[in-house]
Amino acid sequence: MSFAFTPEEQLRVALASRFGIKLDPIGYVDLSTVVVVGTVYALQLIAVIYQLYNHNYPPLGVKNVPLMASLYFGAVAWFLGDIFTSGIVHLSSPVLRSCKFTLIWLRACLGAYYVAAMFSLRCYSLYYVFYKGKAFKGTVVYLSTGLVVLSIALFGIISTVVPTHLTTHYLPVIDMCDTNRNYIIAVVVVVWSIASFTAVMSWRMRHISFCFNERIEIFTSFVVIIIGGVLNTVCLLGVDVYPASLAWRTALVYVNHAGICVGYWVIMGEATFNCIFDREGYLQYWIDTLKEDEMERQYAYDASNEATLNLVEYTEPMSTMVNDRHTLDRKWLETAIKDSPVTPSNP
């Protein structure tokens, strides 16, 4: 896979110009894009493995580590789809020339749809607990996650069986995937539907009191989806053959994946850092903060597994208790402190 301006690449540029396409050749800027983003994801994999290993640490456990790990692997799939369908590398094998695999499955379904849906699902879990006043565990987790996976699978399967001229196909002359405009519109509509759903939940939670940085998490998730949605909409619908432009394809990859990484670490960063460098001290601070803010029941230990933290059910929605927080039951804290490896200080 060459990034030099070879005679074959010169011929590709010349052939593209005959079709009215100004094609920037694949070069070392594209190589640097692959190396930089790929290195970031490789390093992040170490952190994801660490988080999975320590998922029973309460401040990490409440973040739903398996869900966030799946978001990471969705981001990697999106990155692979981006580099294979954005004109960043030569499509040198039959697998890479299978546009239904690289564009529909890697980039759209397992990538963009899944990542946006996981950010939205994280927001929905907070909405379900703090606004509706119900536990986000058990059946509701399986149903909501299953609905996301099922909808993505159905979209991918339908897109795969539909004739290529209605979705996407490979153009050997310019070594790129050509995608039907109506199909692009359908993809964009789905992404904006997810963004709209996230916006509604965020707006409804604007007056809810949170204990830690959940409000920043919600805002960041929304911003990541919006910025990614705007840039992808512009590139896919507003720019003619955007993979032909070095500036557009580079900007799209960096914005997509910088946004995902920022969103991921806003959610997972503080708990992961403290799990590594101040494990017991941060846990004590975490428990004390819950006690001080009277948010105990929203972050209580699961009785079936004391080492795992879950969001648990209480009787009234938080939206009705914003001005009456003393109604929350504090009984759980005695059990949490008793079972905690950290001995609390005397008040």
Side-chain angles (χ1 to χ4, degrees), residues 56-332:
N56 285 336
Y57 181 61
L60 267 179
V62 77
K63 303 295 185 181
N64 197 333
V65 176
L67 182 145
M68 295 305 296
S70 73
L71 186 152
Y72 163 80
F73 289 108
V76 172
W78 191 353
F79 172 57
L80 293 175
D82 272 348
I83 64 174
F84 295 147
T85 62
S86 295
I88 292 176
V89 298
H90 293 289
L91 307 182
S92 55
S93 73
V95 174
L96 300 184
R97 296 187 192 111
S98 175
C99 295
K100 286 196 172 185
F101 171 67
T102 57
L103 190 143
I104 293 175
W105 284 104
L106 286 181
R107 183 173 177 179
C109 293
L110 299 177
Y113 285 2
Y114 189 80
V115 169
M118 289 301 103
F119 275 124
S120 185
L121 187 59
R122 168 65 183 165
C123 184
Y124 178 68
S125 69
L126 298 174
Y127 169 83
Y128 201 82
V129 171
F130 289 97
Y131 185 85
K132 299 183 71 174
K134 298 180 180 180
F136 190 74
K137 62 177 183 177
T139 302
V140 67
V141 175
Y142 298 130
L143 286 178
S144 55
T145 306
L147 181 62
V148 168
V149 173
L150 180 61
S151 61
I152 290 173
L154 285 176
F155 187 91
I157 292 170
I158 293 172
S159 299
T160 302
V161 299
V162 167
T164 56
H165 71 276
L166 296 176
T167 54
T168 182
H169 62 281
Y170 176 69
L171 290 179
V173 174
I174 56 176
D175 193 30
M176 290 181 188
C177 294
D178 179 50
T179 306
N180 183 285
R181 186 175 180 83
N182 291 330
Y183 183 74
I184 293 175
I185 293 173
V187 172
V188 169
V189 166
V190 172
V191 173
W192 281 110
S193 297
I194 297 172
S196 300
F197 178 69
T198 306
V200 170
M201 291 186 294
S202 301
W203 178 255
R204 289 185 175 182
M205 289 189 288
R206 66 191 183 279
H207 297 311
I208 300 298
S209 297
F210 295 102
C211 210
F212 298 101
N213 66 339
E214 288 88 353
R215 191 174 301 282
I216 299 175
E217 293 177 18
I218 294 169
F219 177 76
T220 303
S221 297
F222 179 67
V223 169
V224 166
I225 295 174
I226 291 297
I227 293 177
V230 168
L231 186 59
N232 279 272
T233 300
V234 170
C235 286
L236 294 171
L237 296 176
V239 179
D240 290 335
V241 197
Y242 90 87
S245 167
L246 176 63
W248 279 111
R249 68 189 184 230
T250 303
L252 185 64
V253 172
Y254 275 113
V255 169
N256 280 345
H257 300 284
I260 294 170
C261 289
V262 169
Y264 185 93
W265 284 109
V266 165
I267 296 172
M268 303 297 293
E270 181 178 347
T272 302
F273 179 86
N274 285 285
C275 182
I276 298 172
F277 297 106
D278 189 23
R279 188 181 184 93
E280 294 188 358
Y282 183 72
L283 178 58
Q284 183 62 66
Y285 158 78
W286 192 83
I287 293 174
D288 291 343
T289 302
L290 293 183
K291 180 179 179 180
E292 179 181 350
D293 289 353
E294 298 179 329
M295 288 285 192
E296 299 96 334
R297 296 193 66 183
Q298 289 87 325
Y299 294 84
Y301 284 101
D302 185 353
S304 64
N305 183 2
E306 293 176 356
T308 303
L309 198 77
N310 289 286
L311 301 175
V312 300
E313 185 172 6
Y314 49 95
T315 56
E316 296 182 69
M318 274 297 297
S319 55
T320 66
M321 295 194 290
V322 172
N323 298 319
D324 189 19
R325 293 170 62 185
H326 290 289
T327 61
L328 295 174
D329 182 7
R330 302 165 64 88
K331 181 179 178 181
W332 81 276

